[in-house]
Each structure stands twice: as structure tokens, then as C-alpha cells.
Amino acid sequence: MKFSEKWLREWVNPAVSRDELCEQLSMAGLEVDGVEPVAGEFSGVVVGEVVECGQHPNADKLRVTKINVGDDELVDIVCGAPNCRQGLKVAVAKVGAVLPGDFKIKKAKLRGEPSFGMLCSYSELGVSDDHSGIIELPLDAPVGEDIRDYLGLDDVTIEVDLTPNRADCLGLRGVAREVGVLNKADVCEPVVAPVAAAIEDKLAISLSAPQACPRYLGRVVKGVNVKADSPLWLTEKLRRSGIRSIDPIVDVTNYVLLELGHPMHAFNLAAIEGGINVRMATAGEKLTLLDETEVELKDNTLVIADDNKALAMAGIFGGLHSGTDENTTDILLESAFFHPDAIMGKARQYGLHTDASHRYERGVDPQLQATAMERATQLILEICGGEAGPVVEAVSESDIPTRAEVTLRKARLAKVLGIDIAADTVSEILARLGLDAKETDEGWVATAPSYRFDIEIEEDLIEEVARVYGYNSIPNQAPVAALSMLPATEKQLSVNTVKSVLLNRGYNEAITYSFVDPKIQNALFPESNGLVLPHPISADMSIMRVSLWPGLLQATSYNQKRQQQRIRLFETGLRFVPDAEAPNSIRQEPMLAGVVAGRRYDEHWDANDKPVDFFDAKADVEALLALTGKEKTVTFNTETHSALHPGMSAAIYLDDKCVGWLGAVHPQFSKQLGTNGRVFLFELELAALTDRKLPQAQPISKYPANRRDIAITVKQTVKVGDIIKFVEKIGVNQLVGLNLFDVYTGQGIADGEKSLALSLILQDPGKTLEDAEIQAAVDSVIQGLESEFGAALRE
């Protein structure tokens, strides 16, 4: 939004400097983006009158003139402007004048003719880029007056960058209201008196889309002179707001747009067939716009139409064939309220952006249409003449936005702002903002004016009070709060703690999609019955995962194809499995999964090149389970899984509950997955890993520990894990450590058997163990193994 300071001060003129005014606007939320002078720095330029204008004797494109500048004698000036003519009022830079760029005017001779000054164009005074000819001033311009005073060029253009919610300030009226509120100053609005109808001509108006356009006003004005010159004050205000003058009709509608913030449009009455109908466009309907481009309308676009055709895109762009031109004598003025939802995004849909669409998208005052109509009519009759007909209004009151009633609580205001503002001060601020506020015991109940359609909730009122009261008036206070510890238990581990175990073991964290390829998932989990997406991104991402494995295997294949020889990946995330207890519902379970493939170690001259095996993956899983402190309740049972190799798969049990799986990918899926070599997977319920058993403090024995090694032979089918668990539970109180350090088969061992070497660490917390006690404990272990597993002590 651009406007000149002088124009603003015509509405409200607080006793503050220009810099203070800009600071006020910025601190009130209307950020001032720029302040630029309306003209360059110059002096010595006055209003002059061309008394004589004749052809230069020695140049075809030059003229010799005599100019009256209010002195005793006429001034001879040679001019090359094509529009120079007798009787014209012009801007004259006299000898000694200084133009922008420190250009000094001196006496000169041009092709033998003396020249004592210069006739200036707008560009030479730094007013605009127009250099097509010299400035043509109104015929009543006073000769000899300084041009800066006459045109009011000691002025600046202020550009304000508004947030989308402050569309009420997209007109000078709204900005003036803000300045008046901030300075407790009265706003002097121009008097807009109703224009009495001089003729009876009118058009019928119907609303076929009342929700999009609940109010539409039209007025016929006949006998206008479109070729009349727009007055200087009008063109200057437009120019300083960044809008060029076109013709008086368009200039007036643009002026009302800038002054009141309400877009308007004028139709050529001769181009309208029948009445006006505000309707939605028919798909494929075509319209030629004012910029001569033809668009094919979509059926979501609101249009202004007559009985046979569309005339304009409502609130966006007028049509070429229904617009005013130099031959227009009769017009139809339009003033309407279009709902923001009906206009929002429609201009961009056609690659357009106009001042009207910019305002209608953000919202205009739904009660301003009649005022805008009377203001535009008043100016058109004053400038172009003509006779106005009656105002015809079509309205759907039920579709016009209602004024919001918002409650502001005193306690809430004090809590949000951190200070107590006197109730009288708050009441005054609300009243100055135009809010109809009634004070209650708890606070205020305020009704927003129609132009403040952005005020809807209590926080909106708090913001209004804060910015008018002044953010700088709110003291800087460090926030004070009584903080309490969040309830937490040591038993619960954070996910980051779990992740750090794998990161320290050389893994990298991966993040894959929750939706996967149904072919791969159904192959790995044939009984999964996963949730199929109704609108997937693509066919290979159309089903929700029932395990994290498909995504990790896809990542493994991707990395292997890029010559990665050692892969360690893990992921935490949700799996989506059907809930057996609630049909047609999905249960989301947080899981942790990992994949191991390739070399055991990074390539190194001192390391062998062995590939990973089942026990590498198992060691990583055991490290995770060690976080729980429940290692003694963990078991790996040989079980089969549809996705895993039947000879290398295990179900993981914790406290007799299956919490995950571990194993090698079944070879039959290698080609489909695109993986190379043996790939090992594991997946665990995250909740099982984060719930740990707290360790109990025990005294450390100061007495020496004793180690005894035993070697036993058992059948090949006996599981080492069963043996270790049996020894741990056998009841030897002094046993503090147990380890399998050798497995042997071969010479000296019977077929179908294996030799296991176990180390027993024995220690008593209260005394030094004697040999007899140690031997009794070892004998107890051996006897138990003999009776339970048929073990024999190896000699």
C-alpha cells in the first residue's frame, strides 16, 4: 500500500514528525517498507506561460518561445518538446536554477538563438519517468509561483507492507484510522453526500451466486465526457500511490480504491445486453480481458454477466468489450461485496494479480459499498459531467458476514501481556478502535466493526490492546515461573539411549517410508493382511508396512548396488498390523529393526575379510537386551518365520513373551529384493527395550575369586544356552561368573557328540573360599549336568 504523507495528513494530522509517524505505523503492525521523495532535489523552477512559440530558423525540431514567468520582461527560451504551444502553462527552470543531479541552468545559445532557461518535463524534475514532452499545467496555474509549492512536491511516498489480516488498511481511510487511534487524534473524512437521481434509467440486477456475492450495487450514469482531463490533484495522488492516470472514469475508480480501500468498476452501458447477473462461469466460457488476453473460464470462477455473455471476472479483471473507451458516453458503475473465499486463489489460477483481487482475497468492508458508490458518483459528475440514475441494490442479507462478538477477560489480558493495564485505559483503547465494548466484572464484551473482519477471538483483542498501548510501553521483565520436574521413572529408558548402543556398534540410522511395495511385503509376510492405501503415491508404495524390514532391505539393496561392502542400518518407527481384538482396525506398534550384511570389519590390512554371520547379529541384539537388565530372562528359541532362513532364525523371548525375531533373509527372496550375499535381520518391540529392571546395590566382595574350568561331552542336539541357564539356576551360591570358552568336535570325541569347555568363577562376599568348598560347588555342577543332560566329564 503506497500513499503520500500530505494526503494522509489531509485525513489526520497528528503533531508528530515524519520519522515519528513511520515509527508509529511500524510498531503498530503496519510495517513501513520505504519512504521516498515524490520529486528530485531542485530549485529555481517556477510556473510560466508560453506567450509566443515559433519555429527555430536553423533547426526543424526546435522552437523559439517567449515565456512569462512573472518578471518585468518575457524570457526567451529555445525548446525541443513536441507539445510546446502558445498559451500553455509550463514548468520553467530559470537561469541559476539547479535541477536533480546538480545540473545548473545557464545562459546559452542553441543554433544561434539565445536561451535563458529551460522548459522542464517530469523526468527532468525527478517526478516520474515521463520524458515525452514538457509538463502541461492547468490553465489556472499562477504564473511565477514556485513549482514545488504549486505541485506540493515537498512530500514523500510512504509504502506500508501489510500482513494479510489487515486488509482494512489497504485504503487511506484505514491507515488514517490507525494514525488517529495511535495519536488520539480526530480523523477528518471527506463528506460523502448521497447523489440524487437526475434520471430514471436503471438495470435489473440478480444474484445467482449469493454466497459468493451477497451484495451488488449498480448505477447508470449518462452523458459523461470521458475525454475530460482528470484534475491535477487527482492524478498527483494516484501517481504518488504508484498508479498512472488513464482516463477520468478509471482514475476515479482507482482513487476510490486508494481512498476507501474498496475496488470499483465502470462498464460501458452500450455493451450490456439486458440486466446484470452475478453468477458462476460456465466451464469453457471465454472472456477477453482488458489487457486483450483471452481466458477460458472455469466453473469455479465468479463472473459479472448480462443476459447473453460474461462481462468481467468478478473482483479480479474487467472485460475488454464491456470496458469504457474514448467513445463511451454512458456507464454502469459497479460496487459489490465478493466473499474472500470466492475470490481467493482465482486470480493466480489464471496467472493474474490485480489491485482488486489483492483486496477482495483479504476481505473488504461488507457495509462500505453504498459509500463507495456515492463517492465515485460524486467525483465522476464533478469531473466528467453527466446525469446519475438511482442506485439499484441486490442483497442477500443472510449471506453477508455478521459482526463478531468477542469476550476479553481481564485476567487473560494481564497473563498474556505480563502487566496490568488499567480498565479505563483498555476501555478507551477499544472505543478508539471502533469496537462497541461493554465492560463486565470479568472483562469486556466487544463487537467488532464491519471493517475489522480479522477480529474473531480473544487473542485478537489482546493484540489490539497491546499494539495501541505500545509495545515499548510494556516493561522488559524476565519471565518468572515455578518449574516442577516432569514425572519420570528410572525404569524407562529413552529411545536415544537405545539408539546409541547401535550407533556405537557401527550402525547408521535409516528413515524409510511407512508405505511399501505390496509385492515385497506380501512375499515376506504372506499372512500380513496390511492396510491398503486408497490414494497411494505410486503402485509400489501402496500398502502400510507390517514390519520395518521391507524398507531396510530396500535400503540395503540400494547401498549394495553402489559398491558398499559393509552395511549396518537400523530404524525406529511404527508398524501397522491388524488388530485381532478389534476387527477393521489397525494397531500401531513402535519397533526397532536392523539389518547386517557384507563384511564383518571395515577393510584393513590387519583384519581378515570374513563375512558377517548369525552370531554377529545376535551379539548386537544381546547388547540391546542388556540395557533392560533382564539378560537372564532372555531366550532365543529356534522357530521358523516366513521371511527368514529356516535354519538360521530365532524368536526372541523376554519374560516368556515373544518380543522380536532374528535371522537371515530366506534365499528365495534375494532376487526379488535385489540383495547380494547373506543378509541378517532383527526386529524388536521398542517398548520391551525401554522398560528396564533397575539394578540392586550389593556390597563388592573383598575376597579373592577362584576360577575352575570343566570340559564335558554332550550330544550335538543339546543347546549350550540350556546348559548355561541350568548351571545358573542350580543353586551354587558362590557362582559369580560362567562362560563358554571352547566348543570342540573331532578326534577323541564320539560321533554325534561335542565337547564344551566352561569356566566357573566362584567367590564368597564374606570369606575366602577353601578348596573343599570350591570342589563341592564344582562337583554339584557336574552332577547336575550329568543327570539333566547326560553329560560326561571329559578327561
Side-chain angles (χ1 to χ4, degrees):
M1 174 65 187
K2 284 184 177 182
F3 55 89
S4 76
E5 181 188 5
K6 282 183 179 291
W7 192 10
L8 175 62
R9 289 187 183 273
E10 290 176 12
W11 283 70
V12 57
N13 191 14
V16 295
S17 67
R18 178 181 300 162
D19 291 340
E20 290 172 333
L21 177 63
C22 293
E23 176 67 15
Q24 280 184 352
L25 290 172
S26 292
M27 291 305 296
L30 312 181
E31 182 182 358
V32 175
D33 246 7
V35 179
E36 297 180 355
V38 300
E41 288 292 330
F42 64 87
S43 61
V45 182
V46 299
V47 176
E49 181 181 7
V50 181
V51 177
E52 295 181 11
C53 181
Q55 183 65 43
H56 193 291
N58 301 317
D60 294 337
K61 294 185 178 180
L62 297 180
R63 289 175 175 81
V64 178
T65 66
K66 288 187 179 296
I67 309 297
N68 177 15
V69 293
D71 295 339
D72 295 336
E73 297 181 355
L74 300 179
V75 179
D76 293 326
I77 296 177
V78 177
C79 175
N83 63 327
C84 182
R85 60 188 181 273
Q86 185 178 352
L88 192 65
K89 293 288 182 73
V90 294
V92 183
K94 300 194 294 185
V95 173
V98 180
L99 300 186
D102 200 26
F103 179 67
K104 297 179 181 179
I105 302 299
K106 302 176 182 178
K107 297 178 182 179
K109 275 192 175 184
L110 296 176
R111 296 288 183 95
E113 294 294 326
S115 182
F116 299 95
M118 177 175 141
L119 304 186
C120 302
S121 67
Y122 279 116
S123 64
E124 288 162 339
L125 297 183
V127 174
S128 71
D129 295 331
D130 183 8
H131 56 271
S132 59
I134 58 176
I135 299 173
E136 297 187 20
L137 298 174
L139 295 179
D140 61 352
V143 173
E145 183 174 349
D146 190 300
I147 201 72
R148 295 194 74 92
D149 296 334
Y150 178 69
L151 294 179
L153 297 180
D154 292 325
D155 190 12
V156 294
T157 292
I158 300 173
E159 183 174 3
V160 175
D161 186 15
L162 299 172
T163 51
N165 66 308
R166 291 311 306 272
D168 61 300
C169 291
L170 283 170
L172 195 70
R173 185 191 196 195
V175 178
R177 270 195 304 253
E178 287 294 302
V179 175
V181 169
L182 297 173
N183 292 279
K184 300 182 181 179
D186 294 331
V187 178
C188 302
E189 296 194 20
V191 177
V192 182
V195 177
I199 56 176
E200 297 299 325
D201 298 69
K202 59 183 179 180
L203 292 184
I205 298 173
S206 58
L207 303 178
S208 297
Q211 291 182 337
C213 176
R215 172 174 281 142
Y216 190 96
L217 278 67
R219 182 178 225 168
V220 172
V221 182
K222 285 193 166 185
V224 295
N225 179 15
V226 179
K227 297 180 181 179
D229 292 329
S230 295
L232 182 64
W233 64 266
L234 174 58
T235 57
E236 272 298 291
K237 285 179 177 177
L238 292 178
R239 182 186 66 79
R240 296 177 194 189
S241 300
I243 297 178
R244 66 183 179 88
S245 174
I246 298 175
D247 64 52
I249 302 296
V250 176
D251 289 352
V252 166
T253 57
N254 283 335
Y255 181 81
V256 173
L257 172 84
L258 294 173
E259 183 182 58
L260 303 180
H262 192 285
M264 294 189 67
H265 187 65
F267 295 102
N268 185 350
L269 187 62
I272 301 175
E273 300 172 324
I276 293 294
N277 183 17
V278 186
R279 60 173 173 81
M280 304 307 294
T282 304
E285 188 174 5
K286 294 185 178 180
L287 176 65
T288 303
L289 303 177
L290 285 171
D291 61 0
E292 300 185 2
T293 60
E294 186 179 73
V295 295
E296 185 174 313
L297 301 174
K298 298 178 174 59
D299 58 6
N300 64 350
T301 305
L302 187 68
V303 296
I304 310 301
D306 60 18
D307 292 347
N308 299 321
K309 60 186 180 300
L311 302 174
M313 295 171 67
I316 300 174
F317 220 141
L320 177 64
H321 302 302
S322 63
T324 59
D325 56 31
E326 59 183 8
N327 299 316
T328 299
T329 57
D330 305 326
I331 63 171
L332 174 72
L333 272 179
E334 165 196 276
S335 180
F337 172 71
F338 302 118
H339 200 284
D341 292 343
I343 308 300
M344 193 178 303
K346 302 304 184 298
R348 289 189 296 276
Q349 183 174 275
Y350 296 97
L352 302 172
H353 181 79
T354 63
D355 289 334
S357 68
H358 185 78
R359 285 161 174 79
Y360 277 123
E361 284 181 337
R362 287 155 176 77
V364 299
D365 184 351
Q367 304 297 331
L368 188 60
Q369 288 69 50
T371 303
M373 176 64 78
E374 298 295 350
R375 180 62 166 158
T377 305
Q378 184 184 79
L379 292 173
I380 288 174
L381 296 181
E382 180 183 323
I383 298 169
C384 303
E387 295 177 308
V391 176
V392 179
E393 179 179 16
V395 61
S396 173
E397 291 289 352
S398 60
D399 293 307
I400 292 178
T402 56
R403 299 169 63 186
E405 188 175 87
V406 185
T407 299
L408 173 60
R409 295 167 291 170
K410 295 177 181 178
R412 179 63 176 168
L413 178 66
K415 181 177 181 180
V416 173
L417 298 185
I419 60 170
D420 289 315
I421 301 177
D424 292 343
T425 303
V426 176
S427 296
E428 181 192 2
I429 289 173
L430 296 177
R432 279 158 44 203
L433 285 167
L435 296 160
D436 183 10
K438 297 178 182 178
E439 188 173 355
T440 64
D441 293 338
E442 291 77 21
W444 297 265
V445 177
T447 303
S450 59
Y451 56 83
R452 288 307 304 271
F453 34 81
D454 60 310
I455 295 179
E456 295 180 341
I457 59 176
E458 185 177 26
E459 282 68 22
D460 294 331
L461 290 180
I462 294 173
E463 180 186 7
E464 292 299 300
V465 172
R467 68 184 188 84
V468 176
Y469 182 76
Y471 296 119
N472 292 331
S473 301
I474 300 176
N476 295 326
Q477 294 180 351
V480 178
L483 301 178
S484 58
M485 294 293 291
L486 293 174
T489 172
E490 285 187 83
K491 289 184 62 179
Q492 198 70 24
L493 292 173
S494 70
V495 176
N496 287 335
T497 301
V498 178
K499 290 181 179 180
S500 65
V501 172
L502 293 176
L503 291 172
N504 292 333
R505 296 177 75 87
Y507 282 74
N508 290 307
E509 184 172 8
I511 300 176
T512 65
Y513 286 105
S514 296
F515 20 88
V516 296
D517 190 337
K519 294 180 181 178
I520 293 177
Q521 179 157 289
N522 292 335
L524 297 175
F525 306 93
E527 300 178 357
S528 63
N529 195 24
L531 175 64
V532 179
L533 298 175
H535 304 289
I537 295 175
S538 62
D540 58 354
M541 301 176 74
S542 60
I543 191 170
M544 301 301 292
R545 65 188 180 191
V546 297
S547 168
L548 276 59
W549 285 349
L552 288 175
L553 288 171
Q554 185 178 4
T556 301
S557 172
Y558 182 90
N559 281 272
Q560 285 183 335
K561 289 174 181 176
R562 284 152 183 81
Q563 290 78 49
Q564 296 301 310
Q565 303 299 322
R566 186 174 187 269
I567 296 172
R568 300 283 192 284
L569 297 174
F570 79 92
E571 180 179 10
T572 58
L574 296 175
R575 69 176 180 182
F576 306 85
V577 295
D579 192 341
E581 297 180 0
N584 301 321
S585 62
I586 296 296
R587 189 172 68 252
Q588 302 181 47
E589 298 177 345
M591 306 294 290
L592 181 146
V595 59
V596 184
R599 294 174 173 170
R600 178 174 294 169
Y601 306 107
D602 284 326
E603 191 172 12
H604 190 267
W605 63 269
D606 192 36
N608 56 28
D609 197 21
K610 289 184 178 180
V612 294
D613 60 21
F614 178 88
F615 295 101
D616 290 307
K618 182 172 182 286
D620 295 332
V621 173
E622 288 177 332
L624 288 171
L625 293 169
L627 292 172
T628 65
K630 304 175 184 177
E631 302 94 325
K632 294 184 179 181
T633 64
V634 174
T635 56
F636 293 83
N637 293 346
T638 301
E639 296 183 19
T640 58
H641 188 285
S642 58
L644 301 178
H645 191 295
M648 284 184 282
S649 65
I652 305 168
Y653 286 83
L654 179 64
D655 293 328
D656 297 326
K657 177 188 175 184
C658 182
V659 296
W661 285 86
L662 165 68
V665 177
H666 200 293
Q668 68 178 353
F669 303 126
S670 296
K671 183 176 181 180
Q672 184 177 3
L673 296 170
T675 57
N676 298 321
R678 195 62 64 95
V679 178
F680 295 91
L681 297 167
F682 61 85
E683 185 172 40
L684 297 160
E685 294 179 7
L686 198 55
L689 297 175
T690 56
D691 182 27
R692 67 170 175 170
K693 177 183 178 182
L694 292 177
Q696 300 296 322
Q698 294 179 348
I700 299 175
S701 176
K702 62 181 179 180
Y703 299 99
N706 296 272
R707 170 172 172 162
R708 292 292 186 271
D709 296 340
I710 61 174
I712 60 173
T713 58
V714 294
K715 294 182 178 180
Q716 288 277 12
T717 56
V718 176
K719 297 178 182 178
V720 174
D722 294 340
I723 292 176
I724 291 176
K725 288 187 180 299
F726 176 79
V727 174
E728 288 175 343
K729 297 178 181 179
I730 203 170
V732 178
N733 295 331
Q734 299 88 354
L735 184 65
V736 296
L738 175 63
N739 183 45
L740 171 71
F741 64 88
D742 184 51
V743 178
Y744 173 73
T745 57
Q747 188 176 359
I749 304 299
D751 291 339
E753 293 190 349
K754 58 185 175 183
S755 172
L756 305 176
L758 302 171
S759 64
L760 309 176
I761 308 299
L762 302 168
Q763 188 179 35
D764 192 292
K767 64 177 182 178
T768 300
L769 290 174
E770 297 181 357
D771 287 343
E773 293 174 308
I774 295 171
Q775 189 59 46
V778 173
D779 291 342
S780 176
V781 170
I782 294 172
Q783 291 172 7
L785 293 175
E786 288 177 348
S787 61
E788 182 70 19
F789 301 101
L793 190 65
R794 183 181 173 193
E795 298 296 338

